[in-house]
Amino acid sequence: MSMKSKNTLLLLFLLLGINNAFSQFTPQKPDLRLCGSPPNYYEDYFNCTSNNYTLDHVFLSLTNVNGVPLSNTTCTPGTSQEMYVMLNYTSNSNSIITQVRIFADLSIDGNIIPLNVYLPNGVNPGAGQRQIYGPFTWTCGQELRLCRILAVWKTSGSASDPELASYNCNTYNKSQCEFGGCMVVAAPLAVEFDYTVCTNGNQSTVTFNDETSGGIAPYSYSWNFGDGSPVSTQQNPTHNFPYPGGPYTVTLTVTDSNLPNHLVSTYTQVINPPAPITISGDVNAASCSSNNNGSIDITVSGGTPAYTYSWSNGATTQDISGLSPGSYTVTVTDTFGCVKSETFVIGSGDVSNPVVTAPNDLSLEGCGTAAIASQGYLAFSTTPVVITLAQFNAAGGTYTDASPIASITYQDVASGSCPTVVTRTFTLTDLCGNTGTDTQIISIDDTQAPVIDPLPAPTTIVCPAVPQFAPATATDACDSSVTLTYEDVTTPGDCIRSYTTVRTWTATDDCGNSSTATQTITVIDNVPPVAPAPPADVTVSCGSLVPAMISLTANDACCGDLTVPGVDTITPGQCANSYVITRTWTFVDACGNTSSVSQTITVNDNVPPVVPTPPANVTVSCGSQIPAMISLTANDACSGTITVPGVDAVTPGQCINSYVVTRTWTFVDACGNTSSVSQIITVNDNIAPVVPTPPANVTVSCGSQIPAMVTLTANDACGGPITVPGVDSITPGQCNNSYIVTRTWTFVDACGNTSSVSQTITVNDNIPPVAPSAPANITVSCSSLVPTAAVLTANDNCGGSVTGVPNDVVTPGSCPNSYVIVRTWTFTDSCGNSSTASQTITVNDNIPPVAPSAPANITISCSSLVPTAAVLTANDNCGGSVTGVPNDVVIPGSCPNSYTILRTWTFTDSCGNSSTASQTITVNDNIPPVAPPAPANITVSCSSLVPTAAVLT
């Protein structure tokens, strides 16, 4: 066998992940090979006439950049390595083609991976190479093919165009495409073979199957069978090995067609010839000559498992059953197709009668043969009845026989009546037709009394009704006519009209078996007397108006008339003259049955007292003027006079001295009946306070000079003196310290009556700040040394400190770092009053840049080795870095490649200050040329064959 099957299993596991990783089709990016109609789809849809793109070669590569085909290498089958599938192509277009997309099926040992490959950045004219799959794990010996190839592209666009987010069958021109047949993916040479082996007698025949792939076909073969026999050069030879013998080491050497040097690789397997196939078996005969229950259980050894089976009766299982007598031949085939046959014979079976033991004899309680089935035994039958073996065993029967039982029957014969005797005969027949019998005796006797049908349940009736008993009926298992008799017993109750009668029935059958049953009827009096209608309900306003008591008469069905007086129950109300009387007449007969009727008498006082006339409404200007409280008297029809003081309810107005007083007198009698009268008193304050004289108007130069706030006092006619501070209202001027303050004192009394007075204060700032001294004049050598403007502060008469705003005026000099700055600070207060201070700064740059060290002096052997002048940078005190300007001065030597270069860098700042750095480079060629290898030595047979001298470089 070979590694091929193992590799295929491994590939299946790998593709579970690879198919996920390379599942490249989506609804936005479909497979264009599905364009068109079946069966040819894309082959009919696209015509591909442009010939702009040719697929040249597909190969495995270890890298996806500048990939190199591995078909000139070998590998060991079963080893794995990360690989890429690369494509060499030729673009026949005169310009770039874009949006190139290749659809194909990549087959790895027959497992298909659909590809949707986009080639970014377009494809330029001419030959090129792109990755179309990978990286993936390739196992040596796996064969790869690229089939059902469709390449599409656009001739418009540029290399920088992004990939199309979506496309469909109409996106690409039907002629701008390329079909491709199946292309073998070039791979390393992998030599493998598989084999089958069959052993018959003393010889094992092995058939070899070459599975070599990769490299360059065609191949040449050399088989060494490891048994000393001659080498075979066939691709798939067959060889006979002696058995027993081995193991044999078989080596296949394959040479491919790679040029200029062929690849040679070998593959070895050890073959252990298996033993010949042998078949043995256990045979179970049929139970009888007419049955098909024989079986054959075989055991197979030798050959190469697993085995398949073919029986002469068509069965394909290892063991067979359900067989009738006869001969059966099995043919066994092993994994390699090796075949072995064997014949087995099924014999005949049983001819003896069953030995039967019937169930034990029975004595049953019952009436006739029907009692047998009713008590769970096999039903009585005068004709043969077929039963199962389970029924026979359940009844208590047993048997012994060499064969299974095919059928069981029983048949009954009955005699006598008290008791009835049944003779039951059981017959058993086995599968081979052999029969055995035995009998069982069943005795049936009746000892059960009749059953009286259920009588009515105990009942209760009401007098004057009398008991009415139901007639009794009875049934008996054996007797259809049963004799019935009865006897009554009466027991008095707890009153004259209450008692109980019990009737007992007795049923007797023909055999003297008897039973009894009873029915009970109780008579009671539970109906109350029929009460008369009571007097109608009434409502009165006083207890003296309640009606006098009377008696009423009821009628009782059993006892006649019953006359009784009423009984009053009083339910108090909310006051002394408000309550309810319930007058009830209750009637009770001799057995305690009761009925009653009632009359409701309601006493309710609901008339309010009669009110007097209240005082007239008045309006006053102050609470102190409200009239004093007085009492008023009302007259109540039931309770007499009622005298009460008034109650004031105040409704607030818009201020504390503006409101309305409602003075109400409310009169309530003993039962809460109410009446009332009211007087309206209105209070209203509308006089403003009297104001004082305000302070005189003033003018000041600063806000700090504004007079302090004072309070003034006005006099209110109602509320007394009112003292308040003033409130300043500012009218802005032209600046922060120029404005007018209007100071107003407003006096408001409790009711919002208002008066006011004012003072005017004018603020006007016209004094400039006092400027400080400026910093001393200075001279510096560089702009970077010019000091930052100092923060200067002036004092202002109103605003405290004022920070100066600096301003530089520059007078240019002879170069960028030579000039004069006049720096002036201006101090302006919030009202625009200003003063100044100045400083002069002179800038003069006279320092050259600091040159760096030049590169070290060097000596070289060739002009091509002279280094490019380095970029050197000097530091300038003013301008930061200064890049040097290199200049080479060449001093010739003794030959073209022998001379000296003096290289000088000059660094000049913006004001003309300069410095330099130098390097000496010596060129001296003292190395001889490197000779190439001469052509290989050769031997020729003629002078004419001597080759012309080659041109060597």
Side-chain angles (χ1 to χ4, degrees):
M1 296 180 66
S2 72
M3 294 293 292
K4 182 70 72 175
S5 59
K6 297 180 181 178
N7 292 346
T8 300
L9 288 174
L10 175 61
L11 176 64
L12 288 175
F13 286 114
L14 291 175
L15 290 181
L16 291 176
I18 290 174
N19 279 334
N20 286 331
F22 294 90
S23 179
Q24 300 163 322
F25 295 108
T26 67
Q28 293 75 32
K29 297 181 179 180
D31 188 348
L32 295 189
R33 294 176 299 173
L34 298 177
C35 296
S37 302
N40 296 326
Y41 290 101
Y42 70 101
E43 293 176 336
D44 290 342
Y45 185 81
F46 293 96
N47 56 50
C48 300
T49 58
S50 68
N51 195 33
N52 280 351
Y53 195 69
T54 303
L55 310 179
D56 297 327
H57 184 49
V58 186
F59 59 91
L60 284 177
S61 173
L62 292 172
T63 176
N64 62 349
V65 178
N66 298 324
V68 176
L70 301 177
S71 54
N72 61 349
T73 63
T74 63
C75 64
T76 302
T79 59
S80 298
Q81 197 165 9
E82 185 175 89
M83 291 285 190
Y84 298 86
V85 178
M86 305 298 293
L87 168 68
N88 284 340
Y89 61 84
T90 301
S91 174
N92 305 313
S93 176
N94 293 325
S95 60
I96 189 171
I97 59 176
T98 62
Q99 300 298 334
V100 180
R101 191 172 290 276
I102 298 175
F103 305 92
D105 289 344
L106 177 62
S107 170
I108 304 179
D109 270 356
N111 294 285
I112 303 301
I113 303 173
L115 300 184
N116 179 2
V117 182
Y118 173 70
L119 305 187
N121 304 321
V123 173
N124 291 314
Q129 182 186 96
R130 293 292 178 93
Q131 171 190 341
I132 62 170
Y133 187 68
F136 72 106
T137 300
W138 175 77
T139 301
C140 176
Q142 290 177 343
E143 295 183 80
L144 283 74
R145 290 176 176 268
L146 202 65
C147 296
R148 295 184 64 238
I149 303 170
L150 170 64
V152 296
W153 61 83
K154 289 180 174 291
T155 56
S156 60
S158 67
S160 60
D161 289 346
E163 177 184 1
L164 294 176
S166 63
Y167 58 82
N168 56 43
C169 293
N170 297 320
T171 301
Y172 292 91
N173 190 301
K174 293 183 179 180
S175 65
Q176 303 293 338
C177 57
E178 174 71 15
F179 295 146
C182 277
M183 302 177 70
V184 176
V185 179
L189 176 64
V191 177
E192 293 182 88
F193 66 84
D194 198 357
Y195 67 88
T196 61
V197 55
C198 295
T199 301
N200 290 298
N202 61 356
Q203 179 176 283
S204 296
T205 301
V206 180
T207 301
F208 294 95
N209 178 38
D210 169 51
E211 294 182 343
T212 298
S213 63
I216 303 295
Y219 311 118
S220 60
Y221 303 90
S222 175
W223 294 86
N224 184 335
F225 299 113
D227 60 354
S229 61
V231 169
S232 173
T233 59
Q234 296 179 350
Q235 180 178 3
N236 299 307
T238 298
H239 187 72
N240 294 322
F241 293 93
Y243 181 83
Y248 302 99
T249 300
V250 178
T251 301
L252 169 61
T253 301
V254 175
T255 304
D256 79 345
S257 298
N258 257 294
L259 293 175
N261 298 314
H262 301 313
L263 295 177
V264 179
S265 185
T266 62
Y267 182 70
T268 299
Q269 289 199 64
V270 176
I271 299 176
N272 286 291
I277 299 174
T278 60
I279 306 172
S280 61
D282 293 328
V283 178
N284 295 312
S287 58
C288 54
S289 59
S290 61
N291 290 347
N292 56 351
N293 57 357
S295 64
I296 303 172
D297 183 359
I298 67 170
T299 301
V300 180
S301 62
T304 304
Y307 309 108
T308 59
Y309 307 89
S310 176
W311 290 87
S312 55
N313 66 346
T316 58
T317 58
Q318 178 176 353
D319 304 320
I320 57 175
S321 59
L323 305 177
S324 58
S327 296
Y328 296 87
T329 299
V330 62
T331 299
V332 176
T333 305
D334 73 358
T335 295
F336 288 146
C338 307
V339 176
K340 176 68 175 180
S341 297
E342 192 70 43
T343 300
F344 301 89
V345 177
I346 300 292
S348 301
D350 175 29
V351 293
S352 301
N353 290 332
V355 177
V356 181
T357 301
N360 293 332
D361 295 343
L362 297 174
S363 292
L364 302 180
E365 169 67 38
C367 184
T369 57
I372 299 174
S374 67
Q375 296 185 41
Y377 299 102
L378 296 172
F380 176 83
S381 176
T382 59
T383 60
V385 177
V386 177
I387 62 174
T388 64
L389 177 59
Q391 289 175 299
F392 179 65
N393 290 335
T398 61
Y399 78 96
T400 58
D401 193 53
S403 300
I405 297 301
S407 68
I408 303 176
T409 64
Y410 71 88
Q411 187 173 4
D412 295 328
V413 175
S415 62
S417 60
C418 289
T420 299
V421 177
V422 175
T423 301
R424 174 165 289 174
T425 301
F426 290 91
T427 301
L428 277 69
T429 304
D430 67 15
L431 287 175
C432 292
N434 305 308
T435 301
T437 64
D438 195 19
T439 59
Q440 177 189 25
I441 302 301
I442 304 173
S443 295
I444 306 166
D445 200 4
D446 175 19
T447 61
Q448 293 184 353
V451 176
I452 299 176
D453 295 331
L455 294 172
T459 58
T460 299
I461 60 177
V462 178
C463 89
V466 297
Q468 299 293 326
F469 290 95
T473 60
T475 58
D476 187 71
C478 298
D479 189 359
S480 60
S481 61
V482 178
T483 301
L484 288 165
T485 61
Y486 70 86
E487 181 181 1
D488 290 344
V489 176
T490 300
T491 302
D494 55 3
C495 68
I496 192 169
R497 298 288 184 179
S498 177
Y499 59 91
T500 298
T501 299
V502 178
R503 175 168 290 180
T504 300
W505 292 89
T506 300
T508 306
D509 65 11
D510 289 342
C511 293
N513 301 311
S514 65
S515 60
T516 62
T518 62
Q519 178 184 4
T520 301
I521 300 176
T522 300
V523 180
I524 64 172
D525 178 9
N526 61 358
V527 178
V530 177
D537 296 341
V538 297
T539 297
V540 297
S541 61
C542 217
S544 60
L545 299 176
V546 173
M549 179 64 71
I550 63 173
S551 293
L552 296 180
T553 300
N555 181 264
D556 186 66
C558 295
C559 299
D561 292 339
L562 300 173
T563 301
V564 298
V567 175
D568 287 347
T569 300
I570 298 175
T571 301
Q574 296 178 351
C575 62
N577 285 317
S578 178
Y579 54 90
V580 175
I581 298 172
T582 302
R583 181 166 288 170
T584 303
W585 290 265
T586 301
F587 307 93
V588 182
D589 66 12
C591 284
N593 300 305
T594 301
S595 61
S596 64
V597 294
S598 296
Q599 176 190 23
T600 299
I601 303 169
T602 303
V603 179
N604 185 22
D605 177 11
N606 56 7
V607 180
V610 178
V611 300
T613 302
N617 297 337
V618 297
T619 298
V620 297
S621 61
C622 216
S624 59
Q625 299 172 358
I626 294 174
M629 179 63 71
I630 63 173
S631 293
L632 297 181
T633 300
N635 186 32
D636 186 65
C638 294
S639 302
T641 59
I642 300 172
T643 301
V644 298
V647 175
D648 288 347
V650 178
T651 301
Q654 296 179 352
C655 64
I656 193 169
N657 285 316
S658 176
Y659 53 90
V660 174
V661 177
T662 301
R663 180 168 287 169
T664 302
W665 291 264
T666 302
F667 307 93
V668 183
D669 65 13
C671 282
N673 299 306
T674 301
S675 58
S676 64
V677 294
S678 298
Q679 175 191 22
I680 303 300
I681 303 168
T682 303
V683 181
N684 185 21
D685 177 12
N686 54 9
I687 301 172
V690 178
V691 300
T693 302
N697 297 335
V698 296
T699 297
V700 296
S701 62
C702 261
S704 60
Q705 299 171 358
I706 294 175
M709 181 63 71
V710 296
T711 60
L712 298 181
T713 300
N715 187 33
D716 186 62
C718 293
I722 301 173
T723 301
V724 297
V727 175
D728 288 348
S729 173
I730 298 175
T731 302
Q734 296 179 353
C735 64
N736 288 342
N737 285 311
S738 177
Y739 54 90
I740 294 174
V741 177
T742 301
R743 181 167 288 169
T744 302
W745 290 263
T746 301
F747 306 93
V748 182
D749 66 13
C751 283
N753 300 304
T754 303
S755 58
S756 64
V757 294
S758 297
Q759 174 191 21
T760 300
I761 303 168
T762 302
V763 181
N764 184 23
D765 178 13
N766 54 11
I767 301 173
V770 178
S773 299
N777 297 335
I778 59 171
T779 297
V780 297
S781 61
C782 217
S783 298
S784 61
L785 300 176
V786 173
T788 304
V791 177
L792 300 183
T793 304
N795 288 320
D796 187 63
N797 64 317
C798 290
S801 61
V802 176
T803 301
V805 177
N807 179 56
D808 290 352
V809 176
V810 179
T811 302
S814 59
C815 66
N817 283 312
S818 178
Y819 53 89
V820 175
I821 299 171
V822 176
R823 179 170 290 164
T824 301
W825 287 263
T826 300
F827 307 91
T828 305
D829 66 13
S830 60
C831 283
N833 305 304
S834 64
S835 57
T836 62
S838 296
Q839 176 192 22
T840 299
I841 303 169
T842 302
V843 180
N844 184 23
D845 179 13
N846 55 9
I847 301 173
V850 178
S853 299
N857 297 334
I858 60 173
T859 298
I860 55 179
S861 61
C862 208
S863 298
S864 61
L865 300 176
V866 173
T868 303
V871 176
L872 299 184
T873 303
N875 288 322
D876 186 61
N877 65 317
C878 292
S881 61
V882 176
T883 301
V885 177
N887 179 55
D888 289 351
V889 176
V890 179
I891 301 171
S894 58
C895 67
N897 280 317
S898 178
Y899 54 90
T900 299
I901 299 173
L902 180 61
R903 180 169 288 166
T904 301
W905 287 264
T906 301
F907 306 90
T908 305
D909 67 12
S910 59
C911 282
N913 305 305
S914 64
S915 58
T916 62
S918 297
Q919 176 191 25
T920 299
I921 303 171
T922 302
V923 180
N924 185 19
D925 180 9
N926 55 9
I927 300 174
V930 178
N937 297 333
I938 61 172
T939 301
V940 297
S941 60
C942 266
S943 300
S944 61
L945 298 177
V946 174
T948 302
V951 177
L952 301 182
T953 301

